[in-house]
């Protein structure tokens, strides 16, 4: 059963060649994350699972046009200081972070506004619904692994909307969007980090690479590691464009240096952030 059955499931999903949208999205993800299945075993034991070619090429192309063309259409916006501090002037811009300025690496990421652009909104909602039962069984492990971060969740509701209500009702409230569009050019990389933003956190998060390794870029491998300083024990995960990676949010993670080209990806978090 194990590897052979999982390999067959992976090949069938890849062969479908269709975007995860609507009822198909929910049914495919529910089957993939069925209790006791290979994906759930991998997520709990290895810390990650991959659904091949989950996001169709047409959807990836549309997202790339938005990210590289007019990110403002899909971005979360923020007021930034403009001019001398004494002027009090502000300007409204997409909430974008230059990693070199913050010490996070080399590249940039932009927070995506809510609701997310298609097909990400439907994908994230369906993925949460499929993961919530797994998360409730894994809540003890997650509460230990996020330390020294606080953790206050007793149980996860069945829908993403209800979970976001839980985030907004936290003390302090968690209201800010957390999903990202990630952009790396040659030499771009992301240092080990965790995306935990308050006492309400979900045990898993997801990533989808939009550009194709070997065609659009080289390098840039995603990795997981057991601690912030555990570079010698990194686990690299090979991802093609459209693959959906789900991994434990308590794991330190990042991406290696892009040697040439452009690497674009979207990061899907389920919890919201504090201001």
């Amino acid at each position: 059963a194990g590897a052979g059955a999982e390999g067959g499931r992976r090949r069938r999903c890849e062969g479908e060649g269709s975007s995860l949208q609507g009822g198909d999205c929910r049914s495919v993800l529910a089957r993939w994350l069925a209790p006791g299945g290979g994906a759930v075993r991998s997520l709990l034991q290895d810390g990650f699972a991959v659904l091949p070619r989950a996001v169709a090429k047409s959807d990836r192309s549309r997202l790339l046009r938005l990210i590289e063309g007019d990110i403002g259409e899909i971005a979360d916006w923020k007021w930034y200081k403009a001019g001398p501090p004494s002027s009090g002037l502000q300007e409204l811009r997409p909430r974008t972070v230059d990693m070199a300025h913050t010490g996070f690496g080399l590249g940039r990421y932009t927070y995506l506004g809510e609701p997310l652009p298609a097909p990400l909104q439907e994908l994230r909602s369906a993925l949460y619904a499929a993961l919530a039962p797994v998360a409730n069984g894994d809540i003890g492990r997650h509460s230990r692994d996020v330390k020294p971060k606080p953790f206050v969740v007793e149980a996860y509701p069945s829908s993403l909307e209800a979970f976001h209500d839980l985030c907004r009702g936290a003390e302090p409230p968690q209201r800010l969007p957390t999903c990202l569009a990630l952009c790396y050019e040659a030499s771009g990389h992301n240092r080990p980090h965790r995306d935990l933003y308050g006492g309400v956190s979900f045990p898993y998060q997801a990533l989808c690479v939009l550009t194709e390794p070997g065609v659009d870029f080289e390098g840039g491998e995603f990795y997981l590691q057991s601690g912030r300083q555990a570079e010698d024990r990194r686990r690299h995960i090979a991802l093609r464009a459209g693959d959906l990676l789900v991994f434990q949010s308590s794991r330190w993670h990042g991406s290696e240096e892009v040697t040439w080209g452009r690497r674009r990806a979207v990061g899907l978090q389920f919890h919201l952030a504090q201001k």
Side-chain angles (χ1 to χ4, degrees):
E6 180 64 6
R9 185 181 296 112
R10 287 168 66 96
R11 286 191 291 273
R12 286 195 297 276
C13 287
E14 180 181 358
E16 289 170 3
S18 61
S19 176
L20 294 179
Q21 293 187 19
D24 177 65
C25 177
R26 291 186 177 272
S27 62
V28 169
L29 291 173
R31 291 197 303 272
W32 181 52
L33 292 166
V40 171
R41 288 198 305 272
S42 177
L43 186 57
L44 296 177
Q45 296 171 11
D46 302 325
F48 73 95
V50 179
L51 179 61
R53 302 296 194 190
V55 179
K57 185 175 182 179
S58 58
D59 288 320
R60 299 197 305 269
S61 297
R62 177 178 177 274
L63 289 169
L64 280 170
R65 285 195 298 271
L66 289 168
I67 291 169
E68 298 182 327
D70 187 4
I71 190 68
E73 289 188 25
I74 58 174
D76 185 44
W77 289 68
K78 176 182 176 180
W79 287 101
Y80 290 88
K81 293 180 180 179
S86 58
S87 69
L89 295 176
Q90 292 185 315
E91 61 179 349
L92 190 61
R93 302 198 309 265
R95 192 157 62 103
T96 297
V97 175
D98 184 332
M99 296 184 200
H101 290 168
T102 57
F104 295 161
L106 183 62
R108 69 184 187 280
Y109 58 86
T110 298
Y111 288 96
L112 300 177
E114 299 279 356
L116 302 177
L120 301 181
Q121 181 71 13
E122 179 69 23
L123 172 59
R124 184 177 57 153
S125 294
L127 187 57
Y128 177 90
L131 283 169
V134 185
N136 278 318
D138 198 25
I139 198 167
R141 190 274 315 162
H142 180 68
S143 66
R144 293 188 300 271
D145 288 356
V146 298
K147 292 179 180 178
K149 296 281 188 177
F151 182 73
V152 298
V153 179
E154 296 181 356
Y156 293 103
S158 59
S159 73
L160 181 63
E161 294 78 9
F163 179 57
H164 280 179
D165 287 341
L166 193 65
C167 291
R168 287 186 282 265
E171 185 57 46
Q174 296 173 216
R175 299 192 181 106
L176 290 179
T178 53
C179 294
L180 307 168
L182 299 140
C183 299
Y184 304 92
E185 315 300 335
S187 299
H189 62 280
N190 194 194
R191 291 178 178 162
H193 66 284
R194 302 194 297 179
D195 302 303
L196 301 170
Y197 306 111
V200 177
S201 60
F202 195 68
Y204 316 110
Q205 62 191 85
L207 177 80
C208 179
V209 179
L210 302 177
T211 46
E212 191 71 67
V215 176
D216 300 308
F217 69 94
E218 289 283 1
E221 297 89 351
F222 180 88
Y223 61 80
L224 295 172
Q225 61 187 55
S226 57
R228 189 171 196 169
Q229 307 299 328
E231 288 89 349
D232 58 333
R233 297 192 300 277
R234 284 182 178 172
R235 179 161 187 175
H236 294 87
I237 303 170
L239 297 171
R240 297 168 300 172
D243 289 356
L244 181 66
L245 167 69
V246 179
F247 61 98
Q248 293 177 0
S249 60
S250 59
R251 297 283 185 106
W252 293 83
H253 59 278
S255 60
E256 302 286 8
E257 183 176 313
V258 175
T259 55
W260 66 264
R262 71 196 222 287
R263 180 181 182 269
R264 304 289 185 264
V266 289
L268 300 178
Q269 276 75 247
F270 299 101
H271 44 249
L272 302 176
Q274 299 173 6
K275 288 189 177 180

